[in-house]
Amino acid sequence: MNPSTEPPLTADNQTPQPGMDAGPKKKLRIAAVGDLHVGETSQRLYRDLFDRVHEDADVLCLCGDLVNFGKTVEIENLLEDLRACRIPMVGVLGNHEHECGQPDEVARLMSEAGVRMLTGESYDIEGVGFAGGKGFVGGFGRYMLSSFGEASIKNFVQEAVEDANLIENSIRSLRTERSVVLLHYAPVVDTVVGEPPEIHAFLGSSRLGEVVDRYENVKLVVHGHAHRGAPEGRTARGVPVYNVALPVLRTLGDTPYRIFEV
């Protein structure tokens, strides 16, 4: 079954500048999924996904929690399936990739397998920019945790701020008119609705949405993590945000990724 394509997410028409191509920009088809949670005994669970995605998309975005604990054997199982992918891949780590204490090794193995990992970097693929990072927790809106009180709370908030700054540096480095931001944690509360309200603060942070809204060229945000969250939302500026955690995608149909045009 072919996935339905989302409405085009394109930059507003602009007056061509000298030296700028006045013709229409080629749209890039982007597939996105997160939270595959490949385990030690997982064998070929997602071979079909990676083998077929080129039929529907030009780029595949992987939004973290691709394995359960960040163990080397899990990554090896994932990479066996990833080898079937025939289009460029861009990815971020999730919290599960950190569990074993070797996130840098996980990122290295993914990079060597051809996944362009966003850990402060950014990439331009056929005129569309890709930026982002894992993100972090902290809560949303007026309930976002602030740097006040105990030193441990201040240290926690400082890590969230530094993480958001790293993601902003990634976005800032892009010069493309159309950009996609990949995250693992949610940048808006909209896409965590459906999860118990008591854990919303542990599913993402408004700091991430604030970073996104500083850049007019960001046209799409995709993230995972919130397995029981809502499929879509928007930042305060109106940038579309999609929760592409696999458990959420399964509530939408049989296709194990979601397709967008940018």
Side-chain angles (χ1 to χ4, degrees):
M1 171 177 138
N2 288 327
S4 58
T5 301
E6 301 298 325
L9 303 170
T10 58
D12 294 334
N13 292 330
Q14 300 179 4
T15 302
Q17 301 299 316
M20 180 184 295
D21 182 7
K25 301 294 183 181
K26 176 186 175 183
K27 293 176 183 175
L28 202 65
R29 299 173 303 160
I30 295 167
V33 64
D35 300 84
L36 301 179
H37 291 284
V38 171
E40 292 184 69
T41 60
S42 301
Q43 298 291 332
R44 301 177 64 95
L45 279 182
Y46 300 108
R47 180 65 59 86
D48 289 345
L49 183 163
F50 294 116
D51 186 44
R52 65 178 275 194
V53 68
H54 72 277
E55 299 174 0
D56 303 308
D58 305 303
V59 178
L60 173 61
C61 296
L62 300 169
C63 294
D65 279 6
L66 306 177
V67 298
N68 276 333
F69 300 104
K71 296 180 179 180
T72 301
V73 64
E74 295 174 341
I75 298 298
E76 290 172 347
N77 288 340
L78 171 66
L79 297 185
E80 280 294 319
D81 288 349
L82 273 179
R83 290 188 179 95
C85 189
R86 309 176 207 178
I87 56 177
M89 295 174 283
V90 183
V92 297
L93 298 178
N95 57 305
H96 278 249
E97 279 84 15
H98 282 70
E99 173 61 22
C100 280
Q102 57 169 2
D104 291 343
E105 176 66 5
V106 173
R108 183 186 69 81
L109 292 171
M110 297 284 288
S111 295
E112 289 181 353
V115 182
R116 302 178 188 186
M117 298 300 293
L118 296 169
T119 53
E121 300 84 359
S122 62
Y123 299 96
D124 180 336
I125 301 176
E126 296 186 31
V128 174
F130 292 84
K134 174 177 63 67
F136 200 54
V137 302
F140 302 94
R142 60 182 292 192
Y143 303 110
M144 185 171 65
L145 187 64
S146 62
S147 183
F148 182 87
E150 300 96 322
S152 55
I153 293 294
K154 292 177 180 177
N155 291 338
F156 182 94
V157 172
Q158 184 59 32
E159 181 168 348
V161 170
E162 290 175 358
D163 188 278
N165 287 342
L166 185 68
I167 290 169
E168 180 161 17
N169 288 339
S170 174
I171 300 171
R172 184 189 293 123
S173 68
L174 290 170
R175 296 294 180 266
T176 53
E177 294 180 5
R178 298 166 292 157
S179 299
V180 177
V181 171
L182 278 69
L183 301 167
H184 181 62
Y185 287 94
V188 295
V189 72
D190 306 22
T191 50
V192 305
V193 172
E195 297 278 6
E198 294 82 359
I199 68 169
H200 282 186
F202 304 106
L203 298 174
S205 170
S206 290
R207 287 185 178 88
L208 304 173
E210 291 168 1
V211 165
V212 166
D213 277 348
R214 293 185 190 121
Y215 297 90
E216 293 288 338
N217 61 337
V218 176
K219 305 303 176 184
L220 169 69
V221 181
V222 288
H223 74 86
H225 193 50
H227 290 199
R228 291 182 285 179
E232 55 192 77
R234 288 184 179 270
T235 67
R237 186 169 66 83
V239 178
V241 177
Y242 292 90
N243 179 356
V244 294
L246 184 58
V248 174
L249 298 186
R250 284 173 172 157
T251 69
L252 303 178
D254 297 331
T255 305
Y257 45 80
R258 199 161 179 181
I259 301 292
F260 311 92
E261 287 188 349
V262 176

